[in-house]
């Protein structure tokens, strides 16, 4: 019983910290920096627990540079540039991040950077405040990682800082190729559709892409089912049952409940509800349109991941048979 109350109070303290951090970040750098703040916080919570796979000296440069890169490049993509230049910018951005973080890719150390890259797509707000927020936020992430270095080394079984675990480029090449190709395809699909929320397709690709095709199939089925359930939950709670006066309380309650969720399937239900909240209430987009687009874009993301996965397996088998 005591441990249960300790868990509840600890999670509540974390929720308060998250709300204060995001609110403070938004207050300092402006409302356009909201996504930056969310994924600075994601990086902060991730990298205090796990090593990044590069030396601390390099982290002071690389982490802010990555946050800056995934903020600047999407802004460039909104400018009038030749299409092949935009494709090069997308592919090179993803590759740079994945190749530098190659030692920790299996722990999804790319998540804060690539997801911010996805959500920054089609953002035409002034780049200045967001870029400053990204660079400062990156420094905060490294500072916290440095402060937790000794504690992390105790708890990390195969500490990369002790060089006990060194995945090679060859070991992670499947994930690198699939992620780069998948994000590139998602960008092309979004451009073809002229979609405002093209980032939703990219996010699905980032979330579902795995080195193993069987795991990708399993997660894809769960993601689609969870998306449908999340759409129904959002509709019932925010469009039918709960008056708008209580939305803030409901959002805090959902955020708190999410902290106790461990399974991927249930997490995706919560993620769907939260993404729709952000689109409808933060960005003032039409609910009915967002409901349809969310389902469509997740479905498109799943299709992209499947196509890339099967194409990779086909070429891999052909190359293997030819070299045998």
């Amino acid at each position: 019983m005591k441990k249960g109350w300790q868990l509840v109070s600890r999670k509540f303290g974390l929720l308060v910290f998250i709300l204060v951090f995001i609110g403070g970040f938004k207050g300092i750098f402006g409302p356009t920096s909201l996504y930056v703040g969310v994924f600075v916080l994601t990086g902060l919570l991730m990298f205090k627990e796990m090593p990044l796979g590069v030396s601390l000296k390099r982290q002071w440069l690389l982490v802010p540079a990555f946050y800056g890169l995934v903020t600047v490049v999407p802004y460039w993509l909104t400018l009038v540039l030749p299409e092949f230049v935009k494709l090069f910018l997308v592919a090179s951005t993803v590759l740079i991040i994945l190749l530098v973080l190659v030692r920790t890719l299996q722990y999804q150390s790319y998540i804060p950077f690539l997801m911010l890259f996805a959500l920054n797509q089609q953002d035409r707000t002034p780049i200045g405040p967001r870029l400053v927020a990204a660079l400062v936020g990156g420094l905060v992430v490294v500072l916290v990682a440095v402060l937790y270095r000794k504690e992390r080394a105790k708890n990390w079984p195969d500490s990369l800082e002790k060089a006990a675990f060194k995945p090679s480029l060859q070991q992670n090449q499947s994930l690198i190729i699939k992620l780069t190709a998948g994000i590139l395809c998602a960008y092309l699909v979004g451009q073809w559709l002229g979609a405002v929320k093209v980032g939703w397709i990219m996010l699905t690709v980032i979330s579902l892409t795995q080195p193993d095709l069987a795991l990708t199939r399993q997660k894809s089925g769960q993601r689609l089912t969870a998306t449908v359930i999340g759409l129904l939950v959002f509709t019932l709670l925010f469009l039918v049952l709960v008056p708008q006066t209580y939305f803030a309380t409901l959002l805090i309650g959902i955020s708190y409940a999410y902290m106790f969720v461990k399974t991927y399937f249930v997490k995706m239900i919560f993620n769907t509800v939260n993404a729709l909240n952000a689109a409808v209430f933060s960005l003032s987009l039409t609910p009915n349109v967002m409901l349809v687009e969310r389902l469509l874009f997740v479905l498109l993301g799943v299709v992209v991941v499947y196509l890339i996965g099967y194409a990779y397996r086909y070429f891999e088998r052909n190359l293997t048979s030819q070299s045998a």
Side-chain angles (χ1 to χ4, degrees), residues 22 47 49 51 88 93 98 100 102 131 149-150 156 181 197 232 251 272 280 293-294 322:
I22 297 298
F47 301 135
E49 298 290 342
F88 172 79
T93 299
L98 296 179
V100 172
V102 66
L131 180 57
R149 185 183 183 189
K150 289 184 180 179
W156 196 255
K197 301 298 292 182
L232 293 173
L251 287 170
T272 300
V280 174
E293 288 198 355
R294 180 70 182 185
Q322 289 175 8

Side-chain angles (χ1 to χ4, degrees), residues 41-281:
L41 179 63
T42 303
L44 185 152
L45 295 175
M46 281 185 68
F47 301 135
K48 80 179 182 66
E49 298 290 342
M50 60 171 279
L52 202 56
V54 295
S55 68
L56 287 175
K57 290 182 179 179
R58 292 182 180 178
Q59 285 181 38
W60 286 109
L61 174 63
L62 288 173
V63 175
F66 283 170
Y67 277 112
L69 184 67
V70 298
T71 301
V72 170
V73 171
Y75 177 75
W76 286 343
L77 296 176
T78 65
L79 305 177
V80 180
L81 295 172
E83 199 60 36
F84 75 90
V85 173
K86 292 184 177 182
L87 294 177
F88 172 79
L89 287 172
V90 172
S92 58
T93 299
V94 176
L95 274 175
I96 288 169
I97 292 170
L98 296 179
L99 290 174
V100 172
L101 300 179
V102 66
R103 293 175 63 190
T104 52
L105 290 187
Q106 73 276 24
Y107 300 109
Q108 296 188 310
S109 54
Y110 52 84
I111 285 292
F113 310 114
L114 292 189
M115 287 200 165
L116 180 57
F117 181 64
L119 288 175
N120 274 332
Q121 300 299 316
Q122 302 295 326
D123 191 337
R124 298 177 183 273
T125 58
I127 186 68
R130 287 189 291 125
L131 180 57
V132 172
L135 297 176
V136 173
L139 292 174
V140 171
V141 170
V142 180
L143 178 61
V144 171
V146 170
L147 293 175
Y148 277 84
R149 185 183 183 189
K150 289 184 180 179
E151 190 65 28
R152 184 173 63 243
K154 293 177 186 176
N155 299 328
W156 196 255
D158 293 313
S159 175
L160 297 177
E161 291 165 332
K162 294 180 181 178
F165 187 67
K166 295 183 178 179
S168 65
L169 178 61
Q170 184 177 4
Q171 287 173 298
N172 283 321
Q173 69 177 6
S174 168
L175 184 62
I176 292 172
I177 293 171
K178 289 177 182 178
L179 265 175
T180 305
I183 292 174
L184 202 56
C185 287
Y187 173 76
L188 284 170
V189 171
Q191 291 294 101
W192 176 61
L193 292 173
V196 175
K197 301 298 292 182
V198 60
W200 281 354
I201 309 175
M202 287 187 176
L203 287 175
T204 304
V205 171
I206 295 166
S207 173
L208 295 180
T209 300
Q210 303 290 324
D212 181 65
L213 189 57
L215 183 57
T216 296
R217 285 198 294 264
Q218 178 186 350
K219 291 185 73 174
S220 297
Q222 293 179 345
R223 182 62 180 266
L224 282 173
T225 306
T227 298
V228 173
I229 295 173
L231 295 175
L232 293 173
V233 170
F234 175 84
T235 302
L236 286 173
L237 289 179
F238 291 94
L239 303 182
V240 178
L241 297 177
V242 180
Q244 192 167 356
T245 311
Y246 301 104
F247 280 3
T249 304
L250 180 59
L251 287 170
I252 292 173
I254 289 172
S255 300
Y256 185 56
Y258 177 75
M259 300 178 115
F260 294 90
V261 176
K262 294 183 178 180
T263 64
Y264 175 80
F265 177 72
V266 180
K267 281 184 176 182
M268 290 304 102
I269 296 174
F270 277 85
N271 282 352
T272 300
V273 175
N274 289 333
L276 288 167
N277 281 327
V280 174
F281 302 120

